[in-house]
Every structure is written in structure tokens, then in C-alpha cells.
Amino acid sequence: MIATIRGELFYKGLTRAVVDVSGVGYELFLSLRSVEKLPSLGSEVFFHVYTSVREDAITLFGFREYEEKEMFLLLTSVSGVGPKLALNILSGISPSELARAISFKDIKRLTVLSGVGKKTAERLCMELKDKVGFAAGDEPGFVPGAAPSDASPDGGMGADVISGLVNLGYPPLKAQQALAAVRARYSPEEISAMRVEELLRVTLRSLA
């Protein structure tokens, strides 16, 4: 089993990369978040790797961060969540954000992610809520399985805004980045004073 790979970045695409290791090219499937962090071609790269072995194929999944690999393994342990869906989930949310959403049973936040319906979101929360603490990083106040006292500066409107942007055709990751830019531009007090419709308009303007 291949656990890690270090080599030269030979190719990068929308969902995969090829790493040249002493003349042998290894194709790795990646989340969009990992793809966005790739350096220029020819640069040295390092990936944590999960090797999927089936009768008809051997597939390598690459992760720039160890926490992302661990979260991938947890996701694929849930009934109905295969490697493709796990990568879709990790393309739209960081491991720490996902840990919070699962621990706080934030179904609305989870169903914004590509391929995640209400039933899948409920299974993720039920099966993983006590296992995701490792991915919380240094976020203050994180207690697996506990309810949030103040989960976000917008009182939860962010999930509605992201959902609205996705419904308008924006990719989940782009919607999240736009909302993050708005949160960086305005104070928590200014954001909390906005209605959902106003926050959505402001976020849309940041995408223009």
C-alpha cells in the first residue's frame, strides 16, 4: 500500500495530479481544495495517499494535509459514502469546518455540499460526531458532540447565503470563498445586523 508520495509535479488538472517519482508517474485524485494549493509544474510536492484496491482498479487519492486524509477515511466509513462523494465533500469544506458541522449536527450546512442530501447528512452526524475532534485544530470552544453557543458571527445566515449562491449556479467552494471575503470586510456587528437577503446581495457583489 502506498501511504505517501514525494516527487515532481508533472501534471495538474481539475480533479487530479500526476507526480513523477524517479521517472514513474503516479496519478492522484484530489479534492478541489488540494488542487488549488498545488504549486507550479516542476515543483517538488508531497502527498499523503490512500490506496483503493478493487478487482478492476487500483486508485490513488492524494491529500496535501494529513487531517484531510483522516477525514476522508472517516467519511468513507459511513454507509453510502464512497471515495468520490468523500472528495466532493472535502472539495467544499475544510476538515475543521466539517468537524464543527458534524459535531453541531448542522444539517443545513452539510446539505449545501455537493452530493450530500438530508439523509446522508444525518448519517454523517450520527456516525461521526464523536470521531471528528482531531480535525478541529485550534478552534476555541470546540467540544465534539456539543451544541454551539455562537457558531458563526452571522447567526447561521451564512449557510443560507451559500445555499442561495449554489442555487444560482455558483460552485460551493466559490460561494464559501465569497462569503469569507465578506466576513473579512465587515465587522461581526455589521454582518449580524444584516438580513439574509442583504447578506446575499453583498456576497453576490463580491463575485462580480
Side-chain angles (χ1 to χ4, degrees):
M1 301 288 274
I2 298 174
T4 63
I5 283 181
R6 185 187 301 275
E8 179 182 304
L9 183 61
F10 179 78
Y11 169 83
K12 58 180 177 180
L14 293 176
T15 59
R16 61 194 177 94
V18 176
V19 181
D20 186 322
V21 182
S22 301
V24 178
Y26 292 88
E27 182 181 53
L28 307 175
F29 289 89
L30 314 171
S31 70
L32 292 178
R33 297 177 65 87
S34 286
V35 169
E36 289 184 344
K37 295 178 182 179
L38 291 176
S40 58
L41 297 181
S43 301
E44 182 179 88
V45 289
F46 173 85
F47 291 96
H48 298 281
V49 175
Y50 170 72
T51 306
S52 173
V53 180
R54 301 188 309 182
E55 290 185 2
D56 58 342
I58 298 176
T59 307
L60 303 180
F61 296 91
F63 310 93
R64 299 285 283 167
E65 302 169 356
Y66 183 72
E67 289 77 12
E68 187 181 40
K69 177 181 178 179
E70 288 298 296
M71 188 62 78
F72 174 87
L73 294 176
L74 280 179
L75 289 171
T76 54
S77 73
V78 175
S79 175
V81 180
K84 183 177 180 180
L85 177 54
L87 276 190
N88 282 346
I89 293 171
L90 292 169
S91 291
I93 191 169
S94 69
S96 61
E97 290 176 302
L98 181 57
R100 291 182 67 86
I102 289 174
S103 181
F104 298 151
K105 299 180 182 179
D106 190 347
I107 302 299
K108 183 181 292 187
R109 176 68 182 91
L110 293 171
T111 52
V112 168
L113 301 169
S114 177
V116 179
K118 183 178 179 181
K119 289 185 178 179
T120 300
E122 290 173 344
R123 282 201 302 271
L124 292 175
C125 294
M126 181 177 65
E127 298 184 29
L128 302 182
K129 62 183 177 65
D130 296 322
K131 302 178 181 179
V132 294
F134 76 93
D138 56 1
E139 294 189 41
F142 181 86
V143 179
S149 58
D150 185 14
S152 67
D154 51 43
M157 290 191 298
D160 292 327
V161 170
I162 291 173
S163 179
L165 292 173
V166 170
N167 289 336
L168 290 172
Y170 291 97
L173 183 58
K174 191 173 184 66
Q176 293 163 36
Q177 291 172 337
L179 181 60
V182 170
R183 285 172 169 166
R185 190 178 309 131
Y186 294 87
S187 70
E189 292 76 17
E190 289 174 316
I191 291 178
S192 63
M194 296 181 187
R195 292 176 298 175
V196 174
E197 296 81 3
E198 184 179 0
L199 184 57
L200 178 58
R201 285 196 298 271
V202 171
T203 309
L204 272 171
R205 284 200 295 270
S206 74
L207 288 165

PDB file of all heavy atoms in Angstrom, residues 27 29 51-61:
ATOM      1  N   GLU A  27      -0.667   8.838 -10.690  1.00  0.00           N
ATOM      2  CA  GLU A  27      -1.858   9.665 -10.815  1.00  0.00           C
ATOM      3  C   GLU A  27      -2.623   9.659  -9.499  1.00  0.00           C
ATOM      4  O   GLU A  27      -2.971   8.596  -8.973  1.00  0.00           O
ATOM      5  CB  GLU A  27      -2.755   9.143 -11.932  1.00  0.00           C
ATOM      6  CG  GLU A  27      -3.997   9.998 -12.155  1.00  0.00           C
ATOM      7  CD  GLU A  27      -4.885   9.450 -13.262  1.00  0.00           C
ATOM      8  OE1 GLU A  27      -5.242   8.249 -13.184  1.00  0.00           O
ATOM      9  OE2 GLU A  27      -5.205  10.206 -14.191  1.00  0.00           O
ATOM     10  N   PHE A  29      -5.968  11.325  -7.393  1.00  0.00           N
ATOM     11  CA  PHE A  29      -7.213  12.077  -7.420  1.00  0.00           C
ATOM     12  C   PHE A  29      -7.283  12.941  -6.164  1.00  0.00           C
ATOM     13  O   PHE A  29      -7.009  12.466  -5.059  1.00  0.00           O
ATOM     14  CB  PHE A  29      -8.407  11.129  -7.522  1.00  0.00           C
ATOM     15  CG  PHE A  29      -8.522  10.481  -8.876  1.00  0.00           C
ATOM     16  CD1 PHE A  29      -7.876   9.285  -9.130  1.00  0.00           C
ATOM     17  CD2 PHE A  29      -9.231  11.092  -9.893  1.00  0.00           C
ATOM     18  CE1 PHE A  29      -7.949   8.693 -10.388  1.00  0.00           C
ATOM     19  CE2 PHE A  29      -9.314  10.514 -11.154  1.00  0.00           C
ATOM     20  CZ  PHE A  29      -8.679   9.318 -11.397  1.00  0.00           C
ATOM     21  N   THR A  51      -4.655   4.324  -0.806  1.00  0.00           N
ATOM     22  CA  THR A  51      -4.668   3.408  -1.941  1.00  0.00           C
ATOM     23  C   THR A  51      -5.935   2.566  -1.903  1.00  0.00           C
ATOM     24  O   THR A  51      -6.159   1.808  -0.957  1.00  0.00           O
ATOM     25  CB  THR A  51      -3.438   2.477  -1.916  1.00  0.00           C
ATOM     26  OG1 THR A  51      -2.250   3.263  -1.833  1.00  0.00           O
ATOM     27  CG2 THR A  51      -3.386   1.621  -3.177  1.00  0.00           C
ATOM     28  N   SER A  52      -6.772   2.750  -2.922  1.00  0.00           N
ATOM     29  CA  SER A  52      -8.001   1.977  -3.035  1.00  0.00           C
ATOM     30  C   SER A  52      -7.758   0.809  -3.991  1.00  0.00           C
ATOM     31  O   SER A  52      -7.407   1.016  -5.158  1.00  0.00           O
ATOM     32  CB  SER A  52      -9.141   2.856  -3.567  1.00  0.00           C
ATOM     33  OG  SER A  52     -10.299   2.086  -3.834  1.00  0.00           O
ATOM     34  N   VAL A  53      -7.924  -0.409  -3.490  1.00  0.00           N
ATOM     35  CA  VAL A  53      -7.674  -1.606  -4.302  1.00  0.00           C
ATOM     36  C   VAL A  53      -8.991  -2.343  -4.515  1.00  0.00           C
ATOM     37  O   VAL A  53      -9.649  -2.766  -3.565  1.00  0.00           O
ATOM     38  CB  VAL A  53      -6.654  -2.542  -3.619  1.00  0.00           C
ATOM     39  CG1 VAL A  53      -6.418  -3.778  -4.482  1.00  0.00           C
ATOM     40  CG2 VAL A  53      -5.350  -1.806  -3.364  1.00  0.00           C
ATOM     41  N   ARG A  54      -9.361  -2.470  -5.792  1.00  0.00           N
ATOM     42  CA  ARG A  54     -10.532  -3.251  -6.157  1.00  0.00           C
ATOM     43  C   ARG A  54     -10.117  -4.276  -7.205  1.00  0.00           C
ATOM     44  O   ARG A  54      -8.987  -4.239  -7.706  1.00  0.00           O
ATOM     45  CB  ARG A  54     -11.634  -2.349  -6.726  1.00  0.00           C
ATOM     46  CG  ARG A  54     -12.106  -1.266  -5.769  1.00  0.00           C
ATOM     47  CD  ARG A  54     -13.319  -0.539  -6.334  1.00  0.00           C
ATOM     48  NE  ARG A  54     -13.083  -0.093  -7.711  1.00  0.00           N
ATOM     49  CZ  ARG A  54     -13.970   0.608  -8.419  1.00  0.00           C
ATOM     50  NH1 ARG A  54     -15.136   0.920  -7.874  1.00  0.00           N
ATOM     51  NH2 ARG A  54     -13.690   0.993  -9.649  1.00  0.00           N
ATOM     52  N   GLU A  55     -11.020  -5.185  -7.534  1.00  0.00           N
ATOM     53  CA  GLU A  55     -10.689  -6.221  -8.514  1.00  0.00           C
ATOM     54  C   GLU A  55     -10.332  -5.632  -9.868  1.00  0.00           C
ATOM     55  O   GLU A  55      -9.474  -6.170 -10.572  1.00  0.00           O
ATOM     56  CB  GLU A  55     -11.869  -7.188  -8.668  1.00  0.00           C
ATOM     57  CG  GLU A  55     -12.112  -8.079  -7.450  1.00  0.00           C
ATOM     58  CD  GLU A  55     -13.213  -9.084  -7.706  1.00  0.00           C
ATOM     59  OE1 GLU A  55     -13.745  -9.102  -8.837  1.00  0.00           O
ATOM     60  OE2 GLU A  55     -13.529  -9.855  -6.776  1.00  0.00           O
ATOM     61  N   ASP A  56     -10.986  -4.518 -10.233  1.00  0.00           N
ATOM     62  CA  ASP A  56     -10.792  -3.954 -11.572  1.00  0.00           C
ATOM     63  C   ASP A  56      -9.925  -2.702 -11.601  1.00  0.00           C
ATOM     64  O   ASP A  56      -9.660  -2.154 -12.671  1.00  0.00           O
ATOM     65  CB  ASP A  56     -12.146  -3.635 -12.201  1.00  0.00           C
ATOM     66  CG  ASP A  56     -12.960  -2.654 -11.352  1.00  0.00           C
ATOM     67  OD1 ASP A  56     -12.635  -2.500 -10.160  1.00  0.00           O
ATOM     68  OD2 ASP A  56     -13.895  -2.045 -11.877  1.00  0.00           O
ATOM     69  N   ALA A  57      -9.460  -2.229 -10.446  1.00  0.00           N
ATOM     70  CA  ALA A  57      -8.681  -0.985 -10.466  1.00  0.00           C
ATOM     71  C   ALA A  57      -7.940  -0.760  -9.159  1.00  0.00           C
ATOM     72  O   ALA A  57      -8.376  -1.190  -8.087  1.00  0.00           O
ATOM     73  CB  ALA A  57      -9.602   0.208 -10.723  1.00  0.00           C
ATOM     74  N   ILE A  58      -6.793  -0.088  -9.286  1.00  0.00           N
ATOM     75  CA  ILE A  58      -6.057   0.425  -8.132  1.00  0.00           C
ATOM     76  C   ILE A  58      -6.031   1.943  -8.290  1.00  0.00           C
ATOM     77  O   ILE A  58      -5.498   2.465  -9.270  1.00  0.00           O
ATOM     78  CB  ILE A  58      -4.624  -0.125  -8.055  1.00  0.00           C
ATOM     79  CG1 ILE A  58      -4.646  -1.648  -7.884  1.00  0.00           C
ATOM     80  CG2 ILE A  58      -3.861   0.526  -6.900  1.00  0.00           C
ATOM     81  CD1 ILE A  58      -3.267  -2.278  -7.890  1.00  0.00           C
ATOM     82  N   THR A  59      -6.632   2.656  -7.344  1.00  0.00           N
ATOM     83  CA  THR A  59      -6.772   4.103  -7.445  1.00  0.00           C
ATOM     84  C   THR A  59      -6.088   4.769  -6.268  1.00  0.00           C
ATOM     85  O   THR A  59      -6.232   4.325  -5.126  1.00  0.00           O
ATOM     86  CB  THR A  59      -8.261   4.505  -7.469  1.00  0.00           C
ATOM     87  OG1 THR A  59      -8.938   3.764  -8.489  1.00  0.00           O
ATOM     88  CG2 THR A  59      -8.414   5.987  -7.754  1.00  0.00           C
ATOM     89  N   LEU A  60      -5.364   5.845  -6.556  1.00  0.00           N
ATOM     90  CA  LEU A  60      -4.666   6.597  -5.514  1.00  0.00           C
ATOM     91  C   LEU A  60      -5.379   7.928  -5.277  1.00  0.00           C
ATOM     92  O   LEU A  60      -5.679   8.660  -6.217  1.00  0.00           O
ATOM     93  CB  LEU A  60      -3.214   6.863  -5.915  1.00  0.00           C
ATOM     94  CG  LEU A  60      -2.343   5.650  -6.240  1.00  0.00           C
ATOM     95  CD1 LEU A  60      -0.930   6.094  -6.611  1.00  0.00           C
ATOM     96  CD2 LEU A  60      -2.305   4.679  -5.067  1.00  0.00           C
ATOM     97  N   PHE A  61      -5.634   8.229  -4.004  1.00  0.00           N
ATOM     98  CA  PHE A  61      -6.219   9.507  -3.621  1.00  0.00           C
ATOM     99  C   PHE A  61      -5.173  10.278  -2.824  1.00  0.00           C
ATOM    100  O   PHE A  61      -4.586   9.747  -1.871  1.00  0.00           O
ATOM    101  CB  PHE A  61      -7.477   9.288  -2.786  1.00  0.00           C
ATOM    102  CG  PHE A  61      -8.584   8.590  -3.542  1.00  0.00           C
ATOM    103  CD1 PHE A  61      -8.682   7.211  -3.521  1.00  0.00           C
ATOM    104  CD2 PHE A  61      -9.502   9.310  -4.288  1.00  0.00           C
ATOM    105  CE1 PHE A  61      -9.687   6.558  -4.232  1.00  0.00           C
ATOM    106  CE2 PHE A  61     -10.506   8.672  -4.996  1.00  0.00           C
ATOM    107  CZ  PHE A  61     -10.594   7.287  -4.969  1.00  0.00           C
TER     108      PHE A  61
END
